[in-house]
Amino acid sequence: MRLKPNSKWYCHKTHSSGVKYELATAVRRSAVVSLRGPYPASTSDITIFRGGTVEEGEDNWDKDSLYFKLKSLGVKAVGDSGYEGEPDVVLTSKEGQSKELREFIARVKNREESLHTRLKSWNILSNRFRHGHGDDKRMELHGNVT
């Protein structure tokens, strides 16, 4: 198999090809509450969260996305600055918030980063996925795993 990263699969963070997953953890307990993917590495976090792009319009977004799940439950998520476009659904750090709120948001984001660190340090994410023939089949098999 020849590896040929193009702009769709290229990850600017790792300078290689890859896929991206959306992972959400509970705030008050140790649990993964949502895992979605795979998506091409070039897909932005907020596009995955919404289930589509602004240009596509909310009516055309994936109704199984975390955005719609949170809205239906009437709860908010905590996210980094990449989610500032959804202030009704995602709480992000910004100027003018109380010190206590900013510390709470930082603790929640640190829990998520701790999970990411563990996934990496336990080599869960380090091996190449070599199953299937062609991009579509590999993506289907990736999806079956999650």
Side-chain angles (χ1 to χ4, degrees), residues 7-127:
S7 60
K8 179 179 178 182
W9 301 103
Y10 186 76
C11 175
H12 295 280
K13 190 174 183 179
T14 62
H15 302 290
S16 64
S17 60
V19 293
K20 186 183 275 192
Y21 289 86
E22 178 184 62
L23 180 68
T25 56
V27 172
R28 305 215 182 263
R29 58 188 169 93
S30 297
V32 173
V33 294
S34 179
L35 177 62
R36 296 183 65 231
Y39 299 95
S42 63
T43 308
S44 71
D45 292 348
I46 197 153
T47 298
I48 295 170
F49 174 74
R50 289 175 176 152
T53 63
V54 173
E55 293 79 20
E56 294 170 339
E58 187 174 334
D59 292 338
N60 297 316
W61 293 350
D62 178 6
K63 302 302 184 222
D64 290 328
S65 69
L66 191 54
Y67 171 83
F68 288 104
K69 290 178 182 177
L70 292 172
K71 281 186 97 169
S72 70
L73 294 171
V75 297
K76 284 189 173 187
V78 174
D80 60 22
S81 61
Y83 296 92
E84 286 179 347
E86 292 299 338
D88 295 336
V89 187
V90 181
L91 183 62
T92 59
S93 296
K94 53 187 120 190
E95 292 296 322
Q97 292 173 329
S98 70
K99 180 182 176 187
E100 294 80 13
L101 179 57
R102 292 174 66 90
E103 287 175 356
F104 171 77
I105 292 170
R107 280 196 314 271
V108 172
K109 291 193 302 188
N110 284 337
R111 283 178 59 124
E112 183 87 19
E113 289 303 321
S114 294
L115 176 61
H116 293 184
T117 299
R118 289 177 180 151
L119 291 172
K120 291 174 187 175
S121 66
W122 294 334
N123 291 326
I124 292 170
L125 306 175
S126 65
N127 295 317

